[in-house]
Amino acid sequence: MILTVTLNAALDITYRVPRLQPHSTNRVTEVSERPGGKGLNVARVLTALGHRAVATGFAGGGTGDALRSLLAQETSVTDALVPVGGATRRTVAVVDESTGDTTQLNEPGPVVTPAEWDAFMSTYRELLTGAQAVALCGSLPPGVPVDVYARLTRAARTAGVPVLLDTSGEPLRRGLAARPDLAKPNADELAALTGSTEPLRAARDARRRGAHTVAASLGADGMLVVTADGAWQAAPPRRIAGNPTGAGDSAVAGLLSGLVEDLPWPARLARAVALSAATVRAPAAGEFDRGTYEELLGRVTVTEHPVAV
């Protein structure tokens, strides 16, 4: 079983409009709702790859009830979300069909009380006993201390469970100090952390801050990984047009599945990059176009960096 943690889960609402006109009334042609949050997206892709995935985090209020109901209907992900008194947040995406551009509105999330946090930690420690790996993903809801990913990383390491950390800002900086097995920032998050816009230099700097391995998402240019044994960069054979939302989450699922299957790093990278590109062709985050994935998997270029790390 692979465990994913989404402390700030969301009900993702997507509005499609023919053409988005600011400061005006826009007629919506289509509305969709689905469970959201990085860890839930990762869990969906993992199940599509044939792995058992359990999702935990927080859910509350009417929005949380709707999220859990939809999760039960649409996926085989096991729901281990912990109830809270506050309402789960909503994220609203407005898609301009004339350009393909998306405008995103993200609510902050429910305030988590100390008692609710204690209940989550009890659930988390119990779930770790059956986990092959754990992914700690996304932003933090109000009321949760900024160092919680460091705490969760240490708990997983104590249980002997490999940890992948996918967050940003101060939670990323503090989480790295707890020495996760793998950190997966994107290029902007890595630059904000290290002050360097050169991905290889920045990834090495992030490793020195505590992560055993750093895998940096480079958008359409693929992914770079720096380990104790070497560095590799993978790129898709061509640029894929579409919506990049959730592409990083699919890459996380590729890395996690490769970890539990004990694939060599070039094969893990190729899977992560192919999944990420195939997600750009899918209609929503947490999904990937299987035909595109199968086509790209054998065509991803993986290059080893000769410079010692």
Side-chain angles (χ1 to χ4, degrees), residues 8-126:
N8 209 8
L11 181 65
D12 288 345
I13 303 169
T14 300
Y15 294 137
R16 293 187 175 273
V17 298
R19 181 182 297 274
L20 181 60
Q21 301 180 25
H23 316 297
S24 180
T25 299
N26 289 268
R27 186 174 298 279
V28 176
T29 58
E30 181 183 338
V31 181
S32 63
E33 294 183 345
R34 61 185 285 121
K38 295 178 72 65
L40 289 175
N41 294 336
V42 172
R44 280 197 200 92
V45 175
L46 285 169
T47 61
L49 293 172
H51 289 272
R52 179 173 173 245
V54 175
T56 190
F58 297 111
T63 312
D65 291 342
L67 182 152
R68 300 184 83 162
S69 176
L70 289 169
L71 187 64
Q73 294 172 28
E74 69 177 41
T75 75
S76 56
V77 175
T78 299
D79 177 355
L81 295 166
V82 175
V84 292
T88 294
R89 67 185 179 133
R90 296 164 295 181
T91 65
V92 179
V94 182
V95 179
D96 184 333
E97 295 182 327
S98 68
T99 63
D101 293 336
T102 300
T103 300
Q104 192 84 15
L105 303 173
N106 295 341
E107 295 180 354
V111 175
V112 176
T113 68
E116 290 166 344
W117 176 253
D118 289 344
F120 168 79
M121 283 301 299
S122 178
T123 296
Y124 177 69
R125 291 193 177 97
E126 182 178 347

Side-chain angles (χ1 to χ4, degrees), residues 231-283:
W232 294 265
Q233 187 164 343
R238 66 180 190 279
R239 289 182 177 264
I240 305 296
N243 183 359
T245 304
D249 303 333
S250 292
V252 168
L255 294 171
L256 275 175
S257 60
L259 184 155
V260 301
E261 294 171 29
D262 200 27
L263 297 179
W265 269 110
R268 293 188 207 182
L269 270 182
R271 178 182 290 181
V273 168
L275 281 170
S276 181
T279 296
V280 174
R281 295 292 300 274

